[in-house]
């Protein structure tokens, strides 16, 4: 999962891009990058780490220009090396910068075609570089200088014909503008908006709506599945559907965990969806465990707070904040490498003993993925004096890998894979375990009559992959490539700001 942003402004955009990456930091903490465009010259700064550490004053000064693209990365394919930090750039044709969120399921086939048929060079293992080169090839065969929006629409249509998987992308071409597109299923989120000022109208494309309004942009619309939005340097906006067949099928895990609660994705409030998750979970407890002895409901901060608060209210049980979170430790789920995740849990959370002492506690989390964090938290609750520790998940059991851009690649790492719920409970060390039912989760997010969702991608829960091209052989190969045992984090000395020149 990554965060992307693109801006066409009337003045310098470096500060706004930086601010946008801070607002998207929850989507990736491995690396950050910005490319700005000053006339026909591109300026780049990217490095491993958080945005606040990657961009210092002397970097920002050199990121000149009125148009730019930014990215925060969380590795899902390849390694977490600087070489795969984004945005990516390719000189031919026209000089294209691209930032990508998602994962291509046919990347290996595309790599072969790019090298042997399109005669293009790939410098990394990143599928984002594959996407960029597919786009570049499709623009190349348009054969026009200068290009216009119709050339872009035809090129993106070619991308949709060739690429499979989940992808939301924003690209920039010097002298032309930026354009954004979303895969035909709309698996990964993308929205655009505008900001009116004394010097004219500025436009922004971003992964989540939470980026727009704090920076003064008014949302226009979500980018539709298969749609391309073109914003030219002179402030004109063009949209066109570029995919032959579309079906709005967003990843439901965005609403469970990844997105900020104050975001609205495809006209669905993430906060309200999580509140309904808590209500549905409470109804299941009432139905299946009416004589429960829960003394207090305690959330695992931060993502589960909304669901836990609603659950406690529905059950008529006290709600308490039992864990204090260290704000300077990142989200353990998206840290590269299992050893790093394990080490960070006790540094990130510290229990308030009096909220646990001599109580039967229901801990509520948004989901249970690998289970190692949950095991440690349950033990922390016992160590703090709880009599009994129950655990509730606002999502169903995660039993299958995610192939569309979330770091759940290895089925063997998922605690619920090939286990019953009772076996998961025993593995976690909990006195009781309550999972959300999948139909209830879908209904909680869908809010029938209020959204235009055709279906959700729920593949991590039921193994039903919306793109229809995921085979057991593909999953085996993916696990071999991306298992924690073989993933390597490559340290970096950093990459200074570079001047890149387009090919005009």
């Amino acid at each position: 999962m990554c965060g992307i942003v693109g801006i066409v402004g009337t003045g310098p955009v470096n500060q706004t891009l930086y601010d946008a990456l801070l607002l998207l930091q929850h989507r990736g903490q491995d690396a950050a990058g910005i490319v700005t465009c000053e006339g026909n010259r591109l300026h780049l700064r990217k490095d491993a780490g958080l945005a606040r550490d990657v961009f210092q004053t002397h970097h920002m000064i050199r990121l000149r220009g009125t148009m730019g693209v930014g990215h925060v990365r969380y590795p899902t394919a390849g390694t977490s090396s600087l070489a795969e930090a984004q945005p990516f750039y390719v000189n031919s044709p026209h000089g294209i910068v691209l930032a990508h969120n998602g994962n291509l399921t046919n990347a290996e086939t595309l790599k072969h075609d790019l090298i042997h048929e399109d005669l293009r060079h790939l410098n990394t293992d990143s599928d984002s570089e594959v996407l960029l080169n597919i786009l570049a090839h499709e623009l190349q065969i348009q054969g026009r200088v200068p290009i216009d929006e119709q050339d872009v629409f035809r090129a993106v249509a070619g991308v949709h014909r060739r690429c499979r998987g989940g992808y939301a992308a924003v690209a920039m071409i010097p002298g032309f503008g930026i354009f954004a597109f979303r895969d035909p299923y709309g698996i990964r989120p993308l929205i655009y908006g505008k900001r009116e000022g004394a010097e004219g109208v500025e436009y922004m494309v971003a992964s989540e709506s939470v980026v727009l309004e704090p920076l003064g942009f008014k949302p226009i619309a979500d980018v539709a599945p298969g749609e391309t939005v073109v914003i030219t340097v002179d402030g004109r906006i063009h949209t066109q559907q570029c995919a032959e067949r579309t079906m709005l099928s967003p990843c439901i895990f965005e609403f469970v965990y990844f997105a900020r609660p104050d975001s609205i994705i495809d006209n669905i409030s993430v906060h309200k969806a999580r509140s309904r998750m808590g209500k549905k979970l409470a109804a299941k407890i009432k139905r299946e465990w009416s004589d429960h002895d829960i003394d207090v409901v305690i959330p695992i901060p931060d993502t589960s707070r909304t669901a836990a608060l609603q659950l406690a209210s529905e059950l008529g049980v006290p709600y308490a904040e039992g864990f204090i979170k260290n704000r300077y430790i990142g989200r353990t789920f998206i840290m590269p490498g299992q050893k790093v995740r394990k080490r960070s849990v006790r540094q990130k959370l510290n229990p308030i003993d009096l909220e646990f002492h001599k109580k039967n506690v229901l801990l509520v989390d948004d989901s249970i993925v690998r289970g190692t964090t949950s095991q440690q938290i349950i033990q922390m609750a016992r160590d703090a004096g709880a009599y009994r520790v129950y655990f509730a998940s606002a999502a169903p059991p995660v039993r299958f890998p995610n192939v569309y851009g979330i770091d759940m690649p290895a089925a063997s790492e998922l605690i619920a894979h090939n286990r019953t719920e009772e076996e998961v409970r025993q593995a976690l060390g909990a006195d009781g375990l309550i999972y959300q039912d999948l139909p209830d989760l879908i209904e909680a997010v869908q809010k029938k009559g209020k959204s235009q969702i055709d279906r959700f991608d729920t593949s991590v829960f039921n193994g039903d992959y919306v793109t229809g091209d995921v085979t057991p052989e593909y999953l085996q190969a993916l696990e071999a490539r991306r298992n924690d045992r073989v993933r390597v984090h490559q340290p970096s000395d950093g990459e200074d700001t570079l001047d890149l020149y387009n090919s005009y």
Side-chain angles (χ1 to χ4, degrees):
M1 191 67 59
C2 300
I4 62 176
V5 61
I7 300 175
V8 174
T10 57
V13 296
N14 53 353
Q15 184 65 51
T16 305
L17 284 167
Y18 172 77
D19 292 340
L21 294 187
L22 293 181
L23 291 166
L24 288 172
Q25 192 73 83
H26 62 285
R27 298 187 68 86
Q29 303 166 7
D30 183 67
I34 289 175
V35 177
T36 58
C37 183
E38 180 187 27
N40 281 336
R41 177 170 290 185
L42 298 171
H43 305 290
L44 163 69
R45 167 63 184 173
K46 61 180 178 179
D47 202 350
L50 301 175
R52 70 186 183 201
D53 300 320
V54 170
F55 302 102
Q56 304 300 317
T57 301
H58 64 282
H59 301 129
M60 297 296 291
I61 290 173
R62 297 179 65 180
L63 290 172
R64 300 181 298 273
T66 58
M67 181 169 65
V69 170
H71 186 271
V72 287
R73 180 175 190 264
Y74 131 80
T76 57
T79 69
S80 54
S81 70
L82 176 61
E84 297 183 3
Q86 298 185 43
F88 281 135
Y89 168 79
V90 67
N91 179 270
S92 177
H94 315 300
I96 309 171
V97 175
L98 179 135
H100 165 225
N101 173 31
N103 188 63
L104 303 183
T105 54
N106 63 336
E108 295 304 309
T109 300
L110 292 172
K111 288 177 184 178
H112 179 274
D113 293 345
L114 282 168
I115 294 169
H116 297 283
E117 297 179 15
D118 300 346
L119 306 180
R120 302 192 71 89
H121 173 72
L122 297 175
N123 198 50
T124 72
D125 293 326
S126 172
D127 66 322
S128 300
E129 189 187 13
V130 172
L131 180 65
L132 171 58
N133 277 274
I134 293 291
L135 174 63
H137 178 78
E138 295 298 324
L139 273 172
Q140 183 84 54
I141 62 179
Q142 303 303 315
R144 285 163 38 91
V145 178
I147 63 171
D148 62 19
E149 66 275 7
Q150 293 303 320
D151 296 310
V152 171
F153 293 146
R154 286 189 289 268
V156 176
V159 170
H160 291 322
R161 286 192 295 270
R162 297 179 66 178
C163 295
R164 300 288 180 268
Y167 51 91
V170 57
M172 176 173 65
I173 297 177
F176 173 72
I178 68 171
F179 55 98
F181 55 96
R182 197 174 177 194
D183 70 77
Y185 295 91
I187 297 172
R188 301 269 71 89
L190 197 60
I191 191 171
Y192 63 105
K194 67 179 180 179
R195 178 173 68 183
E196 297 184 10
E199 298 181 2
V201 180
E202 299 180 306
Y203 291 92
M204 174 186 285
V205 180
S207 292
E208 292 185 36
S209 64
V210 71
V211 180
L212 299 176
E213 295 188 24
L215 299 179
F217 288 82
K218 182 178 179 180
I220 297 175
D222 294 283
V223 178
E227 184 182 31
T228 301
V229 177
V230 174
I231 305 165
T232 56
V233 290
D234 58 359
R236 292 179 297 117
I237 188 166
H238 310 268
T239 65
Q240 184 168 302
Q241 178 55 250
C242 296
E244 295 179 359
R245 293 179 296 276
T246 64
M247 177 185 291
L248 182 54
S249 310
C251 173
I252 204 165
F253 217 75
E254 289 278 356
F255 299 91
V256 171
Y257 174 80
F258 270 104
R260 272 185 40 164
D262 42 347
S263 281
I264 297 175
I265 298 175
D266 294 316
N267 295 317
I268 297 174
S269 164
V270 176
H271 170 75
K272 290 293 186 181
R274 290 177 183 169
S275 180
R276 292 191 292 268
M277 291 176 205
K279 187 173 183 178
K280 292 285 187 182
L281 197 55
K284 181 176 181 179
I285 293 174
K286 289 179 179 180
R287 184 172 64 249
E288 298 185 2
W289 190 19
S290 58
D291 59 344
H292 69 79
D293 58 350
I294 301 168
D295 294 321
V296 63
V297 172
I298 294 178
I300 312 300
D302 288 313
T303 342
S304 64
R305 280 198 173 104
T306 305
L309 184 59
Q310 185 64 37
L311 184 152
S313 176
E314 293 289 324
L315 292 181
V317 173
Y319 169 94
E321 292 286 344
F323 293 101
I324 298 300
K325 182 176 180 180
N326 183 344
R327 302 291 176 182
Y328 301 96
I329 300 291
R331 301 178 87 178
T332 53
F333 178 84
I334 60 177
M335 287 182 175
Q338 186 66 10
K339 290 183 179 179
V340 179
R341 282 188 289 267
K342 285 183 177 179
R343 187 171 63 245
S344 67
V345 175
R346 286 189 174 270
Q347 298 171 3
K348 184 176 76 169
L349 295 178
N350 193 49
I352 302 174
D353 290 4
L354 61 87
E355 298 293 354
F356 295 89
H357 188 60
K358 295 184 178 180
K359 295 178 183 178
N360 296 327
V361 178
L362 176 64
L363 301 179
V364 180
D365 209 348
D366 51 78
S367 58
I368 306 170
V369 182
R370 292 169 175 89
T372 51
T373 298
S374 303
Q375 290 168 343
Q376 293 182 66
I377 291 173
I378 289 168
Q379 187 58 50
M380 290 165 64
R382 294 196 189 282
D383 294 343
Y387 277 147
R388 299 177 69 81
V389 181
Y390 307 115
F391 206 92
S393 168
V398 176
R399 302 188 187 279
F400 301 92
N402 182 278
V403 300
Y404 302 126
I406 298 178
D407 189 19
M408 299 179 193
S412 60
E413 295 178 7
L414 306 175
I415 194 169
H417 182 70
N418 285 336
R419 281 192 175 106
T420 65
E421 293 185 18
E422 172 58 21
E423 289 171 336
V424 174
R425 181 197 68 77
Q426 293 176 13
L428 292 177
D431 294 300
L433 176 63
I434 305 98
Y435 275 112
Q436 185 86 263
D437 292 332
L438 182 55
D440 284 345
L441 175 63
I442 293 172
E443 188 173 334
V445 179
Q446 176 83 20
K447 194 178 182 183
K448 293 180 180 179
K450 296 294 185 179
S451 71
Q452 303 299 315
I453 306 295
D454 295 311
R455 60 173 291 188
F456 289 98
D457 174 64
T458 57
S459 54
V460 297
F461 306 123
N462 60 8
D464 183 9
Y465 297 93
V466 295
T467 54
D469 61 338
V470 179
T471 64
E473 293 76 18
Y474 173 84
L475 294 176
Q476 290 172 5
L478 189 68
E479 179 162 350
R481 288 197 306 271
R482 301 193 330 195
N483 192 290
D484 271 341
R485 291 190 296 272
V486 298
R487 183 180 298 132
V488 178
H489 182 81
Q490 300 178 8
S492 165
D493 293 329
E495 179 175 337
D496 202 357
T497 305
L498 301 177
D499 285 344
L500 302 175
Y501 299 84
N502 77 344
S503 56
Y504 282 108

